[in-house]
Amino acid sequence: MNFELSSRIDPELWSLVDETRAFYAHRPAGRGPGSLEELLAFRAGAPAPAECDPQPVTEQASALGRSVPVRIHSPVSSPVAGVFLEIHGGGFYMRSAAGSDVRNRRLADALGVAVVSVDYRLAPEHPWPSAPDDCETAALWLVEQAESRFGTAKLAVGGFSAGSTLAVSTLVRLRDRGVTAFSGGVLQFGTYDLAAKTEAGRLIADEYFLDAYAGTAPDRAHPDLSPLFADLAGLPPIFIVVGRDDILLEDNLAMASRMSEAGVEVDLRVYPASPHGFTGHATPMALAALERIDAWLRARLSQAD
């Protein structure tokens, strides 16, 4: 499959570039904490997440003798058409499932799906493999409980930034267990080479979040930690969204290529004038991306058995 940038950008998006660039002209580029001290200061000063209405249901998801907290948003005025397992971002060391409440409430009502968000453990207090263990726990709990709990066995998974990395690791773990219940995955600008083995990975090799998440792992190219190096065959269809100005663009192109080579159905979309995390910003480009994500998920869940 052709993953040249020119073929991955919808021509209609160019009309949104000027307004999107105007937004970022007044918004300084962000960067995550660069040390443990900065991380602790960020956590201490972070505002409480915005609340949504209605509030999600919180409970423990359990599987394999493990448990993890989840936040469940169900559609208000329609039956549950499917269930979306959401994995939040934050560099593996920041934020929480509650920070996705507003976004997940919108998705639940727009698509008529239940959104289950995983409150996985954060690094550096809980380095790899704690976070993928927690995401796998939630996924297996959904496989066991979705039909009785939500009245549907239609499942999809997705992540935002670090959450996309964890989403791929989760799908690979499920594949290795012979679990094929998830019909697709949405990956928003994840990072897939945490070992700096590729040119794309070396662009972020000095980021503290890599040390925090990897901890004492002897090999950061372990496929569960850096899913670019995993055997990706047998994964469900994947939808990848990334900004043209994202430092992780090349990493996402590499992941799309690796998936395609492994026989995975991949739909890669690149959005011009957009940096990392752009779907969380108030730009016309973000709105266009979210509409595309909604359409892809709606079709994927409605096609699931």
Side-chain angles (χ1 to χ4, degrees):
M1 181 177 287
N2 179 14
F3 288 114
E4 291 291 330
L5 280 183
S6 59
S7 68
R8 298 294 101 193
I9 299 176
D10 186 334
E12 294 183 1
L13 296 175
W14 293 113
S15 65
L16 308 178
V17 165
D18 288 345
E19 188 176 348
T20 298
R21 283 184 174 150
F23 173 87
Y24 289 115
H26 303 288
R27 186 180 191 278
R31 183 167 183 170
S35 67
L36 177 59
E37 293 73 21
E38 289 183 11
L39 173 62
L40 295 178
F42 171 87
R43 289 178 180 174
E51 295 185 356
C52 65
D53 183 26
Q55 287 282 295
V57 173
T58 59
E59 62 180 84
Q60 294 286 318
S62 298
L64 302 176
R66 304 187 303 234
S67 293
V68 61
V70 294
R71 298 172 74 84
I72 303 171
H73 300 260
S74 296
V76 172
S77 57
S78 65
V80 175
V83 184
F84 182 67
L85 179 63
E86 190 263 351
I87 307 176
H88 72 83
F92 309 100
Y93 64 174
M94 298 187 298
R95 312 198 190 283
S96 67
S100 299
D101 277 354
V102 172
R103 196 160 50 237
N104 289 339
R105 167 48 49 198
R106 185 206 67 81
L107 189 65
D109 290 334
L111 271 63
V113 299
V115 182
V116 177
S117 187
V118 191
D119 229 347
Y120 58 86
R121 289 168 291 173
L122 299 179
E125 295 87 347
H126 303 283
W128 175 84
S130 297
D133 281 352
D134 289 346
C135 295
E136 180 188 28
T137 297
L140 290 172
W141 175 78
L142 271 181
V143 171
E144 296 173 355
Q145 301 292 327
E147 193 149 19
S148 61
R149 175 66 184 269
F150 302 106
T152 178
K154 300 175 183 179
L155 304 176
V157 63
F160 187 99
S161 191
S164 291
T165 315
L166 294 170
V168 178
S169 295
T170 299
L171 287 172
V172 170
R173 286 185 177 210
L174 294 178
R175 189 276 319 275
D176 289 348
R177 291 184 179 276
V179 176
T180 59
F182 282 79
S183 63
V186 175
L187 309 178
Q188 299 184 55
F189 33 78
T191 178
Y192 305 111
D193 172 14
L194 281 68
K197 294 287 188 180
T198 65
E199 182 177 349
R202 285 190 284 275
L203 292 174
I204 60 167
D206 63 343
E207 293 284 350
Y208 167 65
F209 81 86
L210 298 172
D211 295 332
Y213 179 53
T216 59
D219 180 11
R220 293 189 185 183
H222 189 292
D224 191 59
L225 203 163
S226 290
L228 185 67
F229 307 114
D231 173 8
L232 301 169
L235 297 191
I238 299 293
F239 188 70
I240 298 178
V241 168
V242 65
R244 178 65 181 84
D245 297 345
D246 195 328
I247 193 172
L248 299 178
L249 172 64
E250 295 299 327
D251 206 5
N252 281 255
L253 295 178
M255 176 55 86
S257 179
R258 286 270 293 111
M259 286 181 165
S260 182
E261 290 169 358
V264 179
E265 179 185 325
V266 183
D267 188 347
L268 169 67
R269 303 284 173 157
V270 179
Y271 289 79
S274 299
H276 189 69
F278 80 98
T279 55
H281 307 152
T283 70
M285 206 68 74
L287 179 59
L290 292 173
E291 288 176 347
R292 181 73 71 169
I293 290 170
D294 285 358
W296 191 91
L297 269 177
R298 186 180 292 110
R300 180 56 50 191
L301 289 172
S302 68
Q303 291 171 6
D305 293 331

Coordinates of all heavy atoms in Angstrom, one line a residue, residues 52-142:
C52 N -18.4 16.0 32.9 CA -19.4 15.8 31.9 C -20.7 15.5 32.6 O -20.8 15.1 33.7 CB -19.0 14.7 30.9 SG -18.9 13.1 31.6
D53 N -21.8 15.6 31.8 CA -23.1 15.3 32.3 C -23.8 14.4 31.3 O -24.0 14.8 30.1 CB -23.9 16.6 32.5 CG -25.3 16.3 33.1 OD1 -25.4 15.3 33.8 OD2 -26.2 17.2 32.9
P54 N -24.2 13.2 31.7 CA -24.1 12.6 33.0 C -22.7 12.1 33.3 O -21.9 11.9 32.4 CB -25.1 11.4 32.9 CG -25.1 11.0 31.5 CD -25.0 12.3 30.7
Q55 N -22.4 11.9 34.6 CA -21.2 11.4 35.0 C -21.0 9.9 34.6 O -22.0 9.2 34.6 CB -21.0 11.6 36.5 CG -20.8 13.0 37.0 CD -19.4 13.4 36.8 OE1 -18.5 12.9 37.4 NE2 -19.2 14.4 35.9
P56 N -19.8 9.5 34.4 CA -19.6 8.1 34.1 C -19.8 7.2 35.3 O -19.7 7.7 36.5 CB -18.2 8.0 33.6 CG -17.5 9.1 34.4 CD -18.5 10.2 34.4
V57 N -20.1 5.9 35.1 CA -20.1 4.9 36.1 C -18.6 4.4 36.3 O -17.9 4.2 35.4 CB -21.0 3.7 35.8 CG1 -20.9 2.6 36.8 CG2 -22.4 4.2 35.6
T58 N -18.2 4.3 37.6 CA -16.8 3.8 37.8 C -16.9 2.5 38.5 O -17.7 2.3 39.4 CB -16.0 4.8 38.7 OG1 -16.7 5.0 39.9 CG2 -15.9 6.2 38.0
E59 N -16.0 1.6 38.1 CA -16.0 0.3 38.7 C -14.7 -0.4 38.4 O -13.8 0.2 37.7 CB -17.1 -0.6 38.2 CG -17.2 -0.9 36.8 CD -18.4 -1.8 36.4 OE1 -19.5 -1.2 36.3 OE2 -18.2 -3.0 36.4
Q60 N -14.5 -1.6 38.9 CA -13.3 -2.4 38.7 C -13.5 -3.4 37.6 O -14.5 -4.2 37.7 CB -12.8 -3.1 40.0 CG -12.4 -2.1 41.1 CD -11.0 -1.5 40.9 OE1 -10.1 -2.2 40.4 NE2 -10.9 -0.2 41.1
A61 N -12.6 -3.4 36.6 CA -12.7 -4.5 35.6 C -11.6 -5.6 36.0 O -10.5 -5.2 36.4 CB -12.3 -3.9 34.3
S62 N -12.0 -6.8 36.0 CA -11.2 -7.9 36.5 C -11.0 -9.0 35.5 O -12.0 -9.4 34.8 CB -11.7 -8.5 37.8 OG -11.8 -7.5 38.8
A63 N -9.8 -9.5 35.3 CA -9.5 -10.7 34.5 C -8.1 -11.1 34.8 O -7.3 -10.3 35.3 CB -9.6 -10.3 33.0
L64 N -7.9 -12.4 34.7 CA -6.5 -13.0 34.9 C -6.0 -12.8 36.3 O -4.8 -12.7 36.6 CB -5.5 -12.4 33.9 CG -5.8 -12.6 32.4 CD1 -4.7 -11.9 31.6 CD2 -5.8 -14.1 32.1
G65 N -7.0 -12.6 37.3 CA -6.6 -12.3 38.7 C -6.1 -10.9 38.9 O -5.6 -10.6 40.0
R66 N -6.3 -10.0 37.9 CA -5.9 -8.6 38.0 C -7.1 -7.8 38.0 O -8.2 -8.2 37.4 CB -4.9 -8.2 36.9 CG -3.7 -9.1 36.8 CD -2.7 -8.5 35.8 NE -3.3 -8.4 34.4 CZ -2.7 -8.9 33.4 NH1 -1.6 -9.7 33.5 NH2 -3.2 -8.7 32.2
S67 N -7.0 -6.5 38.5 CA -8.1 -5.6 38.4 C -7.6 -4.2 38.1 O -6.5 -3.8 38.4 CB -8.9 -5.5 39.8 OG -9.6 -6.7 40.0
V68 N -8.5 -3.4 37.4 CA -8.1 -2.1 37.0 C -9.4 -1.2 37.0 O -10.4 -1.7 36.6 CB -7.4 -2.0 35.6 CG1 -8.4 -2.5 34.5 CG2 -6.9 -0.6 35.3
P69 N -9.3 0.0 37.5 CA -10.5 0.9 37.5 C -10.8 1.3 36.1 O -9.9 1.6 35.2 CB -10.0 2.1 38.3 CG -8.8 1.7 39.0 CD -8.1 0.7 38.2
V70 N -12.1 1.4 35.8 CA -12.6 1.9 34.5 C -13.7 2.9 34.7 O -14.4 2.9 35.7 CB -13.1 0.7 33.6 CG1 -11.9 -0.2 33.2 CG2 -14.2 -0.1 34.2
R71 N -13.9 3.8 33.7 CA -15.0 4.7 33.7 C -15.8 4.4 32.5 O -15.3 4.4 31.4 CB -14.4 6.2 33.7 CG -13.5 6.5 34.9 CD -12.8 7.8 34.7 NE -13.7 9.0 34.8 CZ -14.1 9.5 36.0 NH1 -13.6 9.0 37.2 NH2 -14.9 10.6 36.1
I72 N -17.1 4.3 32.7 CA -18.0 3.8 31.7 C -19.1 4.9 31.4 O -19.8 5.4 32.2 CB -18.8 2.5 32.1 CG1 -17.8 1.4 32.5 CG2 -19.7 2.1 31.1 CD1 -18.4 0.2 33.1
H73 N -19.1 5.3 30.1 CA -20.0 6.3 29.6 C -21.0 5.5 28.6 O -20.5 4.9 27.7 CB -19.3 7.4 28.8 CG -18.3 8.1 29.6 ND1 -18.6 9.4 30.1 CD2 -17.0 7.9 29.9 CE1 -17.5 9.8 30.7 NE2 -16.6 8.9 30.6
S74 N -22.3 5.5 28.9 CA -23.3 4.9 28.1 C -24.1 6.0 27.4 O -24.3 7.0 27.9 CB -24.2 4.0 28.9 OG -23.4 2.9 29.5
P75 N -24.6 5.7 26.2 CA -25.4 6.7 25.5 C -26.7 7.0 26.2 O -27.2 6.1 26.9 CB -25.7 6.0 24.1 CG -25.5 4.5 24.4 CD -24.4 4.4 25.4
V76 N -27.1 8.2 26.2 CA -28.2 8.7 27.0 C -29.6 8.3 26.4 O -30.5 7.9 27.1 CB -28.2 10.2 27.2 CG1 -29.4 10.7 27.8 CG2 -27.0 10.6 28.0
S77 N -29.7 8.4 25.1 CA -31.0 8.3 24.4 C -31.1 7.2 23.4 O -31.9 7.3 22.5 CB -31.4 9.6 23.8 OG -30.4 10.1 22.9
S78 N -30.2 6.2 23.4 CA -30.2 5.2 22.4 C -29.7 3.9 23.0 O -28.9 3.9 24.0 CB -29.4 5.5 21.2 OG -28.1 5.6 21.5
P79 N -30.1 2.7 22.4 CA -29.5 1.5 22.9 C -28.0 1.5 22.6 O -27.5 2.2 21.7 CB -30.2 0.4 22.1 CG -31.4 1.1 21.5 CD -31.1 2.5 21.4
V80 N -27.2 0.6 23.2 CA -25.8 0.5 23.0 C -25.5 -0.3 21.7 O -25.9 -1.5 21.6 CB -25.1 -0.2 24.2 CG1 -23.6 -0.4 23.9 CG2 -25.3 0.7 25.5
A81 N -24.9 0.4 20.7 CA -24.7 -0.3 19.5 C -23.4 -1.1 19.5 O -23.2 -2.0 18.7 CB -24.6 0.7 18.3
G82 N -22.5 -0.7 20.4 CA -21.2 -1.3 20.5 C -20.4 -0.8 21.7 O -20.9 0.1 22.4
V83 N -19.2 -1.3 21.9 CA -18.4 -0.8 23.0 C -17.0 -0.4 22.5 O -16.4 -1.2 21.8 CB -18.3 -1.9 24.1 CG1 -17.5 -1.3 25.3 CG2 -19.7 -2.4 24.6
F84 N -16.6 0.8 22.9 CA -15.3 1.3 22.6 C -14.4 1.4 23.8 O -14.7 2.1 24.8 CB -15.4 2.7 21.9 CG -14.1 3.3 21.5 CD1 -13.4 2.7 20.4 CD2 -13.6 4.4 22.1 CE1 -12.2 3.3 19.9 CE2 -12.4 5.0 21.6 CZ -11.7 4.4 20.6
L85 N -13.3 0.7 23.8 CA -12.3 0.7 24.9 C -11.3 1.8 24.6 O -10.6 1.8 23.6 CB -11.6 -0.7 25.0 CG -10.5 -0.8 26.0 CD1 -11.1 -0.6 27.4 CD2 -9.8 -2.1 25.9
E86 N -11.4 2.8 25.4 CA -10.6 4.0 25.2 C -9.4 4.0 26.2 O -9.5 3.8 27.4 CB -11.4 5.3 25.5 CG -10.7 6.6 25.1 CD -10.0 7.3 26.2 OE1 -10.2 7.0 27.4 OE2 -9.3 8.3 25.9
I87 N -8.2 4.3 25.6 CA -7.0 4.4 26.4 C -6.4 5.8 26.3 O -6.0 6.2 25.3 CB -6.0 3.3 25.9 CG1 -6.6 1.9 25.9 CG2 -4.7 3.3 26.8 CD1 -5.7 0.8 25.3
H88 N -6.4 6.5 27.4 CA -6.0 7.9 27.4 C -4.5 8.1 27.2 O -3.7 7.2 27.3 CB -6.4 8.5 28.8 CG -5.6 8.1 29.9 ND1 -4.4 8.7 30.2 CD2 -5.8 7.2 30.9 CE1 -3.9 8.2 31.4 NE2 -4.7 7.3 31.8
G89 N -4.2 9.3 26.8 CA -2.8 9.7 26.6 C -2.2 10.3 27.8 O -2.7 10.3 28.9
G90 N -1.0 10.9 27.6 CA -0.2 11.5 28.7 C 1.2 11.0 28.9 O 1.7 11.1 30.0
G91 N 1.8 10.5 27.8 CA 3.2 10.0 27.9 C 3.4 8.9 28.8 O 4.5 8.7 29.3
F92 N 2.4 8.1 29.2 CA 2.5 7.0 30.1 C 2.7 7.4 31.6 O 2.7 6.6 32.5 CB 3.6 6.0 29.8 CG 3.7 5.6 28.3 CD1 4.5 6.2 27.4 CD2 2.8 4.6 27.9 CE1 4.6 5.7 26.1 CE2 2.9 4.1 26.6 CZ 3.8 4.7 25.7
Y93 N 2.8 8.8 31.8 CA 3.2 9.2 33.1 C 2.3 10.4 33.6 O 2.5 10.9 34.7 CB 4.7 9.6 33.2 CG 5.2 10.7 32.4 CD1 6.5 11.1 32.6 CD2 4.4 11.4 31.4 CE1 7.1 12.2 31.8 CE2 5.0 12.4 30.7 CZ 6.3 12.8 30.9 OH 6.8 13.8 30.1
M94 N 1.4 10.8 32.8 CA 0.5 11.9 33.2 C -1.0 11.6 32.9 O -1.3 10.6 32.2 CB 0.8 13.2 32.4 CG 2.2 13.7 32.6 SD 2.4 15.3 31.8 CE 2.2 14.9 30.0
R95 N -1.8 12.4 33.5 CA -3.3 12.4 33.2 C -3.9 11.1 33.7 O -3.3 10.3 34.4 CB -3.5 12.6 31.7 CG -2.7 13.8 31.2 CD -3.3 14.4 29.9 NE -2.3 15.3 29.3 CZ -2.2 16.6 29.7 NH1 -2.9 17.0 30.7 NH2 -1.3 17.4 29.2
S96 N -5.2 11.0 33.4 CA -6.0 9.9 33.9 C -7.2 9.7 33.0 O -7.5 10.5 32.1 CB -6.5 10.2 35.3 OG -7.4 11.3 35.3
A97 N -8.0 8.6 33.2 CA -9.2 8.3 32.5 C -10.2 9.5 32.6 O -10.9 9.8 31.7 CB -9.8 7.0 32.9
A98 N -10.2 10.1 33.8 CA -11.2 11.2 34.0 C -10.9 12.4 33.0 O -11.9 13.1 32.7 CB -11.1 11.7 35.4
G99 N -9.7 12.5 32.6 CA -9.4 13.6 31.7 C -10.0 13.4 30.3 O -10.1 14.4 29.5
S100 N -10.5 12.2 30.0 CA -11.2 11.9 28.7 C -12.7 12.0 28.9 O -13.4 11.7 27.9 CB -10.7 10.6 28.2 OG -9.3 10.5 28.0
D101 N -13.2 12.4 30.0 CA -14.7 12.3 30.2 C -15.5 13.0 29.2 O -16.4 12.5 28.7 CB -15.0 12.8 31.6 CG -14.8 11.7 32.7 OD1 -14.6 10.5 32.4 OD2 -15.0 12.0 33.9
V102 N -15.1 14.3 29.0 CA -15.9 15.1 28.0 C -15.8 14.5 26.6 O -16.8 14.4 25.9 CB -15.4 16.6 28.0 CG1 -16.0 17.4 26.9 CG2 -15.6 17.2 29.4
R103 N -14.6 14.1 26.2 CA -14.4 13.5 24.9 C -15.2 12.2 24.8 O -15.8 11.9 23.8 CB -12.9 13.3 24.7 CG -12.5 13.1 23.2 CD -11.0 13.4 23.0 NE -10.2 12.7 24.0 CZ -9.3 13.3 24.7 NH1 -9.2 14.6 24.7 NH2 -8.6 12.7 25.6
N104 N -15.2 11.4 25.8 CA -15.8 10.1 25.8 C -17.3 10.2 25.8 O -18.1 9.5 25.2 CB -15.3 9.2 26.9 CG -13.9 8.8 26.6 OD1 -13.4 8.8 25.5 ND2 -13.2 8.4 27.7
R105 N -17.8 11.2 26.6 CA -19.3 11.5 26.6 C -19.8 11.9 25.2 O -20.8 11.4 24.8 CB -19.6 12.6 27.6 CG -21.0 13.2 27.6 CD -22.1 12.2 27.6 NE -22.0 11.2 28.6 CZ -22.7 10.0 28.5 NH1 -23.5 9.8 27.5 NH2 -22.6 9.1 29.4
R106 N -19.0 12.8 24.5 CA -19.4 13.1 23.2 C -19.5 11.9 22.3 O -20.4 11.7 21.5 CB -18.4 14.1 22.6 CG -18.8 14.7 21.2 CD -17.6 15.1 20.4 NE -16.7 14.0 20.1 CZ -16.9 13.2 19.0 NH1 -18.0 13.4 18.3 NH2 -16.1 12.3 18.7
L107 N -18.5 11.1 22.4 CA -18.4 9.9 21.5 C -19.5 8.9 21.8 O -20.2 8.4 20.9 CB -17.1 9.2 21.7 CG -16.7 8.0 20.8 CD1 -16.6 8.6 19.3 CD2 -15.5 7.3 21.2
A108 N -19.9 8.7 23.1 CA -20.9 7.8 23.5 C -22.3 8.3 22.9 O -23.0 7.4 22.3 CB -21.0 7.7 25.0
D109 N -22.6 9.5 22.9 CA -23.8 10.1 22.4 C -23.8 10.2 20.9 O -24.9 9.9 20.3 CB -24.1 11.4 23.0 CG -24.5 11.3 24.5 OD1 -24.9 10.2 24.9 OD2 -24.3 12.3 25.3
A110 N -22.7 10.5 20.3 CA -22.6 10.7 18.8 C -22.8 9.3 18.1 O -23.4 9.3 17.1 CB -21.3 11.3 18.4
L111 N -22.2 8.3 18.7 CA -22.2 7.0 18.0 C -23.2 6.0 18.6 O -23.4 4.9 18.1 CB -20.8 6.4 18.1 CG -19.9 6.7 16.9 CD1 -19.6 8.2 16.9 CD2 -18.6 5.9 17.0
G112 N -23.7 6.3 19.8 CA -24.6 5.4 20.5 C -23.9 4.2 21.0 O -24.3 3.0 20.9
V113 N -22.7 4.4 21.5 CA -21.8 3.3 22.0 C -21.5 3.5 23.5 O -21.6 4.7 24.0 CB -20.5 3.2 21.2 CG1 -20.8 2.9 19.7 CG2 -19.6 4.4 21.4
A114 N -21.2 2.5 24.2 CA -20.6 2.6 25.5 C -19.1 2.8 25.4 O -18.5 2.1 24.6 CB -20.9 1.4 26.3
V115 N -18.6 3.8 26.1 CA -17.1 4.0 26.1 C -16.6 3.6 27.4 O -17.0 4.2 28.5 CB -16.8 5.5 25.7 CG1 -15.3 5.7 25.7 CG2 -17.4 5.9 24.4
V116 N -15.6 2.7 27.4 CA -15.0 2.2 28.7 C -13.6 2.7 28.7 O -12.8 2.4 27.8 CB -15.1 0.7 28.8 CG1 -14.3 0.2 30.0 CG2 -16.5 0.2 28.8
S117 N -13.2 3.6 29.6 CA -11.9 4.2 29.7 C -11.1 3.6 30.8 O -11.6 3.4 31.9 CB -12.0 5.7 29.9 OG -10.8 6.3 29.8
V118 N -9.9 3.2 30.5 CA -9.0 2.5 31.4 C -8.2 3.4 32.2 O -7.4 4.2 31.7 CB -8.1 1.5 30.6 CG1 -7.4 0.5 31.6 CG2 -8.8 0.7 29.6
D119 N -8.2 3.3 33.5 CA -7.4 4.1 34.4 C -6.1 3.3 34.8 O -5.9 2.9 35.9 CB -8.1 4.5 35.7 CG -8.0 6.0 36.0 OD1 -7.1 6.6 35.4 OD2 -8.8 6.5 36.8
Y120 N -5.3 3.1 33.7 CA -4.1 2.3 33.9 C -3.1 3.0 34.8 O -3.1 4.2 35.0 CB -3.5 1.9 32.6 CG -3.1 3.1 31.7 CD1 -1.8 3.8 31.9 CD2 -3.9 3.7 30.8 CE1 -1.5 4.8 31.1 CE2 -3.6 4.7 30.0 CZ -2.3 5.3 30.1 OH -2.0 6.4 29.4
R121 N -2.2 2.2 35.4 CA -1.2 2.7 36.3 C -0.1 3.5 35.5 O 0.2 3.2 34.4 CB -0.5 1.6 37.1 CG -1.4 0.9 38.1 CD -0.8 -0.4 38.7 NE -0.8 -1.4 37.6 CZ -0.3 -2.6 37.8 NH1 0.4 -2.9 38.8 NH2 -0.4 -3.5 36.8
L122 N 0.4 4.6 36.2 CA 1.3 5.5 35.5 C 2.7 5.2 35.9 O 3.0 4.9 37.1 CB 0.9 6.9 35.9 CG -0.5 7.4 35.4 CD1 -0.7 8.8 35.9 CD2 -0.7 7.3 33.9
A123 N 3.6 5.5 35.0 CA 5.1 5.5 35.3 C 5.4 6.9 35.9 O 4.6 7.8 35.8 CB 5.8 5.3 34.0
P124 N 6.5 7.0 36.6 CA 7.6 6.0 36.8 C 7.3 5.1 38.0 O 8.0 4.2 38.2 CB 8.8 6.8 37.0 CG 8.3 8.1 37.7 CD 7.0 8.4 37.0
E125 N 6.2 5.4 38.8 CA 5.9 4.6 39.9 C 5.6 3.2 39.5 O 5.9 2.2 40.2 CB 4.7 5.2 40.7 CG 5.0 6.6 41.3 CD 4.7 7.7 40.4 OE1 4.5 7.5 39.1 OE2 4.7 8.9 40.8
H126 N 4.9 3.1 38.3 CA 4.6 1.7 37.8 C 5.0 1.6 36.4 O 4.2 1.9 35.4 CB 3.0 1.6 37.9 CG 2.5 1.7 39.3 ND1 2.6 0.7 40.2 CD2 1.9 2.8 39.9 CE1 2.0 1.2 41.4 NE2 1.6 2.4 41.2
P127 N 6.3 1.3 36.1 CA 6.8 1.3 34.8 C 6.3 0.0 34.0 O 5.6 -0.8 34.6 CB 8.3 1.2 35.0 CG 8.5 0.5 36.3 CD 7.3 1.0 37.1
W128 N 6.6 0.0 32.7 CA 6.3 -1.2 31.9 C 6.7 -2.5 32.6 O 7.7 -2.5 33.2 CB 7.0 -1.1 30.6 CG 6.8 -2.3 29.7 CD1 5.8 -2.5 28.8 CD2 7.7 -3.4 29.6 NE1 5.9 -3.7 28.2 CE2 7.1 -4.3 28.7 CE3 8.9 -3.7 30.2 CZ2 7.7 -5.5 28.3 CZ3 9.5 -4.9 29.9 CH2 8.9 -5.8 28.9
P129 N 5.8 -3.5 32.6 CA 4.6 -3.7 31.8 C 3.3 -3.4 32.6 O 2.3 -3.9 32.2 CB 4.7 -5.2 31.5 CG 5.3 -5.8 32.7 CD 6.3 -4.8 33.2
S130 N 3.3 -2.5 33.6 CA 2.1 -2.3 34.3 C 1.0 -1.7 33.5 O -0.2 -2.2 33.5 CB 2.4 -1.2 35.5 OG 3.3 -1.8 36.4
A131 N 1.2 -0.7 32.7 CA 0.2 -0.1 31.8 C -0.4 -1.1 30.8 O -1.6 -1.3 30.8 CB 0.7 1.1 31.2
P132 N 0.4 -1.8 30.0 CA -0.2 -2.8 29.1 C -0.9 -4.0 29.9 O -1.9 -4.5 29.4 CB 0.9 -3.3 28.3 CG 2.2 -2.8 29.0 CD 1.8 -1.6 29.8
D133 N -0.4 -4.3 31.0 CA -1.1 -5.3 31.9 C -2.5 -4.8 32.2 O -3.5 -5.6 32.1 CB -0.4 -5.6 33.2 CG 0.8 -6.5 33.0 OD1 1.0 -7.1 31.9 OD2 1.6 -6.6 34.0
D134 N -2.6 -3.6 32.6 CA -4.0 -3.0 33.0 C -4.9 -2.9 31.8 O -6.1 -3.2 31.9 CB -3.8 -1.6 33.6 CG -3.2 -1.7 35.0 OD1 -3.1 -2.8 35.6 OD2 -2.7 -0.6 35.5
C135 N -4.3 -2.5 30.6 CA -5.2 -2.4 29.4 C -5.6 -3.8 28.9 O -6.8 -3.9 28.5 CB -4.4 -1.7 28.3 SG -4.0 0.0 28.7
E136 N -4.8 -4.8 29.0 CA -5.1 -6.1 28.7 C -6.2 -6.6 29.6 O -7.2 -7.3 29.2 CB -3.9 -7.0 28.7 CG -4.3 -8.5 28.4 CD -3.1 -9.4 28.6 OE1 -2.2 -9.1 29.5 OE2 -3.0 -10.5 27.9
T137 N -6.1 -6.3 30.9 CA -7.1 -6.7 31.9 C -8.5 -6.2 31.5 O -9.5 -6.9 31.5 CB -6.7 -6.2 33.3 OG1 -5.5 -6.9 33.7 CG2 -7.8 -6.6 34.3
A138 N -8.5 -4.9 31.2 CA -9.8 -4.2 30.8 C -10.4 -4.8 29.5 O -11.6 -5.1 29.4 CB -9.6 -2.7 30.6
A139 N -9.5 -5.1 28.5 CA -9.9 -5.7 27.3 C -10.5 -7.1 27.5 O -11.6 -7.4 26.9 CB -8.8 -5.7 26.3
L140 N -9.9 -7.9 28.3 CA -10.4 -9.3 28.5 C -11.7 -9.2 29.3 O -12.6 -10.0 29.1 CB -9.3 -10.1 29.2 CG -8.1 -10.5 28.4 CD1 -7.0 -11.1 29.2 CD2 -8.5 -11.4 27.2
W141 N -11.8 -8.3 30.2 CA -13.0 -8.1 31.0 C -14.2 -7.8 30.0 O -15.3 -8.3 30.2 CB -12.8 -7.0 32.0 CG -14.1 -6.6 32.8 CD1 -14.6 -7.3 33.8 CD2 -14.9 -5.5 32.6 NE1 -15.8 -6.6 34.3 CE2 -16.0 -5.5 33.5 CE3 -14.9 -4.4 31.7 CZ2 -16.9 -4.5 33.6 CZ3 -15.8 -3.4 31.7 CH2 -16.9 -3.5 32.7
L142 N -13.9 -6.9 29.1 CA -15.0 -6.6 28.1 C -15.4 -7.8 27.2 O -16.5 -8.0 27.0 CB -14.5 -5.4 27.2 CG -14.8 -4.0 27.7 CD1 -14.3 -3.0 26.6 CD2 -16.2 -3.8 27.9

